[in-house]
Amino acid sequence: MTKDSRPIRVVGMSGSLRAGSYNTAALKAAIALAPEGMTIETAEIGDLPLYNDDVRVAGYPPAVQRLRDQLSGADAILFVTPEYNYSISGVLKNAIDWASRPPSQPFDNKPVAIMGASGGILGTARAQYHLRQMLIFLNAFPLNKPEVMIGQASSKFDEEGRLTDEATAGFIRHLLEALRDWRDRLS
């Protein structure tokens, strides 16, 4: 359990739709590595329509409402982002755009952790910094440290997408413990 003895419910969101995504594999690893008293459920973003404010004004589509409800009910959020063209993926941006619209956008005052995996040596450094900028605007509370940027991901996961690198597992575990403590501090 956490310091305030309440279990912590985290919603994890992978910014990749690819079947063999290292980011989705990293999210699955986080689910398995969650500390006692923490549960991580996955938010589905692959079925969201492209953001269109005319559609929003007419009423949130069911997939969008599901995501907004899931995020609203969470104690914290874990973003697992790939890096595309030095930024976050279009599908993750689309999900954030849909979820962040009024009324009662669910990122407000929410503790957030960020991690990501890529084939490059820098991991997802640039994407994570762009995501942090968005989260500040949304009045979310991103955890500053530790940072988990899984570079050269193909050497850290096996063919089935299982995390095989113990150091990376330790980094993810430490991030989740810090998220738990951050949630407690903000409560």
Side-chain angles (χ1 to χ4, degrees), residues 93-132:
K93 177 72 165 72
N94 186 57
I96 291 168
D97 287 347
W98 270 117
S100 66
R101 297 301 169 227
S104 305
Q105 65 92 352
F107 300 111
D108 192 37
N109 291 311
K110 195 80 66 171
V112 174
I114 304 169
M115 64 182 202
S118 78
I121 197 162
L122 294 178
T124 56
R126 295 176 202 108
Q128 289 192 34
Y129 296 141
H130 282 182
L131 182 53
R132 287 176 185 281

Side-chain angles (χ1 to χ4, degrees), residues 4-120:
D4 69 4
S5 76
R6 291 184 302 133
I8 180 171
R9 181 175 164 241
V10 177
V11 169
M13 191 181 311
S14 171
S16 177
L17 302 181
R18 188 172 64 85
S21 166
Y22 292 122
N23 287 281
T24 301
L27 176 55
K28 289 176 183 174
I31 291 167
L33 294 166
E36 183 180 340
M38 176 185 284
T39 60
I40 303 173
E41 64 183 67
T42 302
E44 173 60 49
I45 63 172
D47 59 348
L48 300 177
L50 292 176
Y51 181 77
N52 180 329
D53 202 51
D54 293 334
V55 173
R56 180 195 65 84
V57 169
Y60 287 112
V64 173
Q65 191 59 56
R66 179 198 68 230
L67 175 64
R68 286 175 53 86
D69 292 344
Q70 194 175 18
L71 293 170
S72 292
D75 296 307
I77 300 167
L78 173 63
F79 285 103
V80 189
T81 182
E83 183 169 299
Y84 296 168
N85 301 313
Y86 285 15
S87 191
I88 67 170
S89 66
V91 295
L92 183 56
K93 177 72 165 72
N94 186 57
I96 291 168
D97 287 347
W98 270 117
S100 66
R101 297 301 169 227
S104 305
Q105 65 92 352
F107 300 111
D108 192 37
N109 291 311
K110 195 80 66 171
V112 174
I114 304 169
M115 64 182 202
S118 78

